[in-house]
Amino acid sequence: MVKPDPFGFDIRVKSDKKKRSRGKRGMSGAFETSQRVCEHPGCEEAGKYRAPKSPDTLDDYFWFCKDHVREYNLKWNFFDGTTEEDLQGQIDRDRVWERETKPFRQSAEERAWARLGIDDAHQVLGENATRNPGKGNGGGRRLPPTERKALEILDAKDHWSKAELRKAYKGLIKVLHPDMNGGDRSDEDRLQEVVWAWDQIKDSRNFK
C-alpha cells in the first residue's frame, strides 16, 4: 500500500504518463490530441501533422492532415532561394558540425616579423635556414671524443676513408719530422700530437 504524500505530490510513473498525454505524438508523427483543422484550403480533416512554414522560422508551423502534409513536404525546399555560394558554404559548415577551426593567434614576435613582410622568421637565413653543417667536420657523425680530437689534429673530415686519413697523416709527418726539415725540432710537440692522432684512427672501425 502506497502512503499518501503529505505534500500532495504523486511521483508515480503511471501518474506522470497521464499528465503527459496531452500533446502526445504518435509513431506516425501525428499529434493525436490536436484539435486543429487542416490548413489546406477547402480541407475539413483534422490537422494532426505539423510542417515548418519557412527555413527562417522552423519553430512556426502549418497544421495539415496526413495527405496534405505529404503534399506540402514534397514541395518544400529548405534551400529554396539560396545562392550557389550560400549552399556550398552551408555544406562546408555541415562537414564540421558548424564548428569551424579557428586559426591560432599570432604571437607578438610573429606580428613583428609580419610587419616586415616575413611570414617565417627562418626566411632571414636564406638558403642556410634548413642546413646544419655540424661543428666544422662536415658530417656530424657520432665518434668517440678521442677520435674526434684526432680528426681535428689531422685537419681531416669525419667522412674520409682510412686511406685519406693516412695520406693526411703522412703529409704532416713530412712537414714536422726533424729529418725532413733540416733537423729543426721546434715542432716536436706538434709531431707527437700527429702521431697520437694516427694511433687513434688506424685501429678504429669507424672509418673504412
Side-chain angles (χ1 to χ4, degrees):
M1 180 178 179
V2 179
K3 296 182 179 180
D5 187 350
F7 298 101
F9 296 115
D10 189 349
I11 60 175
R12 290 177 298 172
V13 174
K14 185 176 180 181
S15 175
D16 183 61
K17 286 183 178 180
K18 288 181 179 179
K19 292 178 182 178
R20 296 187 186 187
S21 61
R22 192 171 186 178
K24 183 179 179 181
R25 190 174 183 178
M27 295 295 291
S28 65
F31 287 80
E32 302 294 345
T33 57
S34 173
Q35 302 298 317
R36 299 175 180 84
V37 177
C38 178
E39 294 186 42
H40 189 274
C43 183
E44 300 294 334
E45 297 290 331
K48 296 183 178 182
Y49 298 86
R50 67 185 188 183
K53 291 185 176 182
S54 72
D56 298 327
T57 54
L58 295 175
D59 56 350
D60 191 11
Y61 307 103
F62 291 119
W63 290 85
F64 296 110
C65 63
K66 180 183 286 188
D67 292 336
H68 288 132
V69 77
R70 286 177 176 173
E71 180 182 335
Y72 178 85
N73 287 337
L74 288 174
K75 295 178 181 178
W76 194 73
N77 182 2
F78 182 86
F79 293 103
D80 186 27
T82 303
T83 64
E84 189 70 26
E85 292 181 359
D86 292 339
L87 177 58
Q88 186 60 46
Q90 183 64 48
I91 293 174
D92 293 339
R93 289 190 295 273
D94 288 344
R95 286 197 184 105
V96 292
W97 299 282
E98 297 193 359
R99 299 184 65 180
E100 300 175 72
T101 302
K102 297 181 180 179
F104 288 108
R105 294 181 60 185
Q106 285 186 321
S107 65
E109 181 180 355
E110 289 172 332
R111 289 195 296 271
W113 284 114
R115 285 195 291 270
L116 298 175
I118 298 174
D119 298 326
D120 185 351
H122 291 93
Q123 290 178 358
V124 299
L125 300 177
E127 294 182 357
N128 294 325
T130 58
R131 295 181 182 177
N132 182 14
K135 296 184 178 180
N137 288 313
R141 291 175 54 195
R142 284 183 172 272
L143 294 173
T146 53
E147 293 182 12
R148 179 64 65 187
K149 179 65 175 177
L151 290 176
E152 293 177 4
I153 293 173
L154 297 176
D155 194 21
K157 306 296 184 182
D158 61 6
H159 62 274
W160 284 9
S161 66
K162 195 166 291 187
E164 291 174 308
L165 294 170
R166 182 182 176 83
K167 185 177 179 180
Y169 162 71
K170 286 185 174 182
L172 290 172
I173 289 294
K174 289 179 180 180
V175 174
L176 301 174
H177 200 284
D179 295 343
M180 301 293 182
N181 55 19
D184 184 4
R185 296 180 176 276
S186 60
D187 292 324
E188 282 190 349
D189 291 341
R190 170 71 172 148
L191 177 62
Q192 290 178 4
E193 287 183 348
V194 171
V195 173
W196 175 87
W198 176 243
D199 287 340
Q200 310 309 309
I201 299 297
K202 65 181 180 180
D203 295 327
S204 173
R205 295 183 179 180
N206 293 318
F207 303 93
K208 295 182 180 180

